[in-house]
Amino acid sequence: MRPVAKSSLLWGVVGTLTFLVGAQGYRLLIGALPTGYIGMIAIGLVVETTVGTVSYVVEPRLAAKGRT
């Protein structure tokens, strides 16, 4: 696996876990969300796909400019 692809997958996992922890924190501190657990997992998968895609596209551009 190419290092850029591996990095993108890991960033996607980090984004998903961050979203899910934030959603659970909201449920604990403030109250119920409009979605259940299945909805949160679905949104987490969308977050993972988005973050992974954006990091896959942006990381080589940043590396070319010497910003990573």
Side-chain angles (χ1 to χ4, degrees):
M1 179 180 288
R2 292 180 32 204
V4 174
K6 185 176 181 179
S7 174
S8 297
L9 288 173
L10 292 174
W11 275 115
V13 169
V14 168
T16 300
L17 292 176
T18 302
F19 169 76
L20 292 174
V21 166
Q24 285 298 321
Y26 184 90
R27 288 179 62 109
L28 284 172
L29 298 175
I30 296 174
L33 290 169
T35 63
Y37 289 110
I38 302 298
M40 285 193 302
I41 291 171
I43 294 169
L45 292 174
V46 170
V47 169
E48 180 176 11
T49 303
T50 304
V51 170
T53 302
V54 169
S55 69
Y56 186 81
V57 170
V58 171
E59 186 175 354
R61 293 181 186 187
L62 292 176
K65 293 182 179 182
R67 296 185 181 179
T68 58

